[in-house]
Amino acid sequence: YLQYKTQLSKIPGIHVLDLQSEDFDCNYQYIVCHVDEATFGLSRNELVAVMEAENIFARRYFNPSVHKMAPYCSRAQHQQHLPVSEFLATVCLVLPTGASLSFGDIENVVSVVRWAYEMKSEIRQHLQAHPPLETLVIPFEYPTLSTRSQTK
């Protein structure tokens, strides 16, 4: 956590959630970052696409917002606009962590984030011309095991 926080604090627009407090104990299970698109120059999703291209497993945190997920979204009282929750669902990112991650691995993750910041214009231009698969609309459904067994 401290290596991430120290190194990422040097990159404009990347803010690591402060987990050090006398009010609570933290097990540092998650390294949560906020990507400020206006300062960093790329959105959280664009940064995730870069990290995925570099085989770094970073996740969008609380995406979509919890109130938009089943079973909550099906209840009338939860079908409301929660602007803070919806905003956080677009900017929060969880970085790789765990016992198998070395200091060198963390430095590699930070280097990719730093490179993405330095190359933001080129990256955005590339992603607009070649969107990641998750943004493409596939006009058909892939067969599942259950639908394949029904066709036999």
Side-chain angles (χ1 to χ4, degrees):
Y1 167 79
L2 291 176
Q3 185 177 2
Y4 269 129
K5 187 158 178 61
T6 301
Q7 295 297 315
L8 290 171
S9 69
K10 300 172 187 172
I11 303 172
I14 302 294
H15 309 282
V16 177
L17 183 67
D18 190 3
L19 298 177
Q20 296 176 305
S21 173
E22 293 180 11
D23 297 330
F24 59 85
D25 291 328
C26 180
N27 66 4
Y28 303 101
Q29 181 177 356
Y30 298 108
I31 307 296
V32 181
C33 297
H34 165 236
V35 180
D36 179 350
E37 183 175 355
T39 306
F40 185 69
L42 295 173
S43 70
R44 182 271 318 266
N45 288 352
E46 290 169 324
L47 179 56
V48 168
V50 169
M51 296 177 89
E52 287 174 352
E54 294 297 321
N55 293 315
I56 295 171
F57 183 65
R59 295 185 333 191
R60 295 157 183 85
Y61 202 53
F62 288 120
N63 184 46
S65 295
V66 174
H67 72 283
K68 291 189 172 193
M69 298 171 66
Y72 309 108
C73 66
S74 62
R75 296 182 181 152
Q77 73 268 26
H78 295 291
Q79 293 180 356
Q80 57 188 355
H81 178 61
L82 299 175
V84 174
S85 177
E86 291 166 13
F87 169 74
L88 291 173
T90 66
V91 299
C92 287
L93 168 73
V94 178
L95 296 173
T97 189
S100 64
L101 207 66
S102 70
F103 289 119
D105 294 331
I106 294 170
E107 184 56 43
N108 184 49
V109 171
V110 172
S111 294
V112 169
V113 174
R114 186 180 305 111
W115 176 83
Y117 173 73
E118 293 166 356
M119 301 297 292
K120 57 190 166 234
S121 297
E122 293 86 348
I123 290 169
R124 179 164 277 170
Q125 190 174 30
H126 176 79
L127 289 173
Q128 287 172 347
H130 309 283
L133 284 177
E134 69 191 38
T135 62
L136 298 177
V137 176
I138 308 294
F140 58 89
E141 291 186 27
Y142 289 102
T144 62
L145 289 176
S146 60
T147 59
R148 276 190 265 163
S149 62
Q150 293 171 0
T151 60
K152 289 184 179 180

